[in-house]
Amino acid sequence: MAVPTTPRRRLRYAALALAGVTVTAGTLSACGTAKTQDPRPATTTTGTTPGATSSTAAAVEPSLHMITNEGHKLAFYVTPGRLPAIVLDAGGGLDASYWNKLAPELAKNTGSEVITYDRTGEGKSDDAPGPWKAQNAAADLAAGLTQLGITKNVVLVSHSLAGEIATAFVQQHPDRIAGAVLVDANLPQFFTDSETAKLVAANTPQLDALRQAPQTRATRQLLAEAADYGPVHLAYHKLVWPRSVPATAIVSSQTPFPTPDDAQLWRQAQQDFVDAAPNRHLVVAENSSHDIPTDRPDVVINAVQDMVNQVR
């Protein structure tokens, strides 16, 4: 189930994670735009004031905090503000710089603390050995937020692959999440037995080719994320989002898929997720590819502002 590559898509990641990837002539491409030079500070600072109000949040450069969990370091970037804290989690193969334009807008418009971070294998964070698992990524996120002093009242904004991390996180810590905005996210409803089998079959040749390609940090991370994809996603299909945690699902008008059947299944999965509880609603990002935060940042900003207002 390879998703077509467009010139805007940057090198990295795998179609198996629904991040919009194809592997061609030894290269791979993923969801998101080309990475620009990271303007964030390179020095580590300590401590934040999670509940503090900052009327000048938009003018404040995010501070870099290196936290440690299970022996590896992760980079978190914090723009100070008040609660609820907005945590932005990018799609597969993308690091915190994906949110460089949206984060200051959200800080300015909401007055909330805004946090972005690099997952293992991305940006300034360490690599982690072994297969990538959403549960481990959720544990990393929980550890980082705890070390930053954020133990509750979080609005989690999760794009694409990060939907799996959001689901694992809310399963582990439902009391810490005030609400979520799931941006064309990988939701459990999509990964039926037949669709998961189709994804595995379609992408096996690409991954086999990738294993024969020169091994870089990017390819190693990709293969770690694709490990045991079938069994992992069959298990993921059975997970249920807690009814107590409100959520907005934003679905792209184009979806990540070129074929009508798969695109319709993607749309239906988003709708089924929303229909499962009265505190969820669906937003369609018109004229948008899977890369909604870049194509329609206004839709994401409005949905996050609405969620913040709802839970504040």
Side-chain angles (χ1 to χ4, degrees):
M1 186 72 47
V3 181
T5 306
T6 69
R8 295 177 55 200
R9 296 190 180 277
R10 76 178 181 87
L11 200 64
R12 308 242 356 224
Y13 198 52
L16 284 174
L18 296 177
V21 98
T22 57
V23 179
T24 307
T27 66
L28 57 153
S29 52
C31 70
T33 55
K35 186 184 295 185
T36 57
Q37 185 175 0
D38 190 349
R40 295 166 303 196
T43 57
T44 302
T45 61
T46 58
T48 61
T49 309
T53 300
S54 174
S55 61
T56 59
V60 178
E61 284 292 331
S63 56
L64 170 62
H65 301 249
M66 297 302 298
I67 71 100
T68 300
N69 186 47
E70 298 294 332
H72 55 266
K73 293 182 178 180
L74 298 120
F76 280 73
Y77 305 89
V78 181
T79 300
R82 57 190 176 120
L83 295 178
I86 300 170
V87 177
L88 304 172
D89 202 352
L94 298 166
D95 62 25
S97 65
Y98 183 66
W99 304 106
N100 277 357
K101 292 183 179 179
L102 271 180
E105 287 297 315
L106 287 170
K108 176 182 176 181
N109 293 353
T110 66
S112 283
E113 180 160 359
V114 177
I115 299 170
T116 62
Y117 76 111
D118 299 332
R119 291 191 298 270
T120 57
E122 307 292 349
K124 291 183 172 68
S125 293
D126 289 345
D127 296 346
W132 182 91
K133 295 184 181 299
Q135 291 81 0
N136 294 342
D140 283 341
L141 177 56
L145 293 178
T146 297
Q147 292 182 45
L148 291 172
I150 305 293
T151 58
K152 62 180 181 179
N153 212 358
V154 168
V155 170
L156 191 54
V157 183
S158 305
H159 177 229
S160 192
L161 172 72
E164 299 181 33
I165 302 169
T167 303
F169 191 102
V170 79
Q171 292 270 323
Q172 297 169 4
H173 308 285
D175 56 324
R176 299 183 68 166
I177 301 297
V181 177
L182 305 170
V183 185
D184 230 18
N186 294 11
L187 298 178
Q189 287 81 352
F190 179 76
F191 295 93
T192 62
D193 290 4
S194 59
E195 189 65 21
T196 299
K198 189 188 297 186
L199 286 166
V200 171
N203 289 280
T204 294
Q206 297 185 37
L207 291 171
D208 287 344
L210 191 63
R211 292 184 183 97
Q212 303 304 315
Q215 295 299 292
T216 64
R217 189 188 197 208
T219 57
R220 288 192 298 271
Q221 182 68 10
L222 186 160
L223 291 170
E225 290 167 340
D228 300 323
Y229 186 86
V232 164
H233 286 81
L234 292 176
Y236 181 58
H237 182 59
K238 299 177 182 179
L239 297 184
V240 177
W241 188 274
R243 290 174 60 87
S244 61
V245 180
T248 297
I250 305 176
V251 61
S252 62
S253 56
Q254 294 180 22
T255 83
F257 297 100
T259 59
D261 288 349
D262 296 305
Q264 180 54 36
L265 180 60
W266 182 261
R267 295 187 190 98
Q268 190 60 51
Q270 306 283 326
Q271 186 66 62
D272 289 347
F273 171 84
V274 168
D275 289 344
N279 57 356
R280 305 176 195 172
H281 72 279
L282 185 71
V283 174
V284 178
E286 299 291 353
N287 303 312
S288 177
S289 71
H290 182 55
D291 194 21
I292 298 172
T294 297
D295 293 343
R296 293 296 309 275
D298 58 311
V299 174
V300 179
I301 290 170
N302 289 339
V304 175
Q305 288 180 195
D306 288 346
M307 184 60 70
V308 167
N309 292 336
Q310 177 182 334
V311 304
R312 178 166 280 165

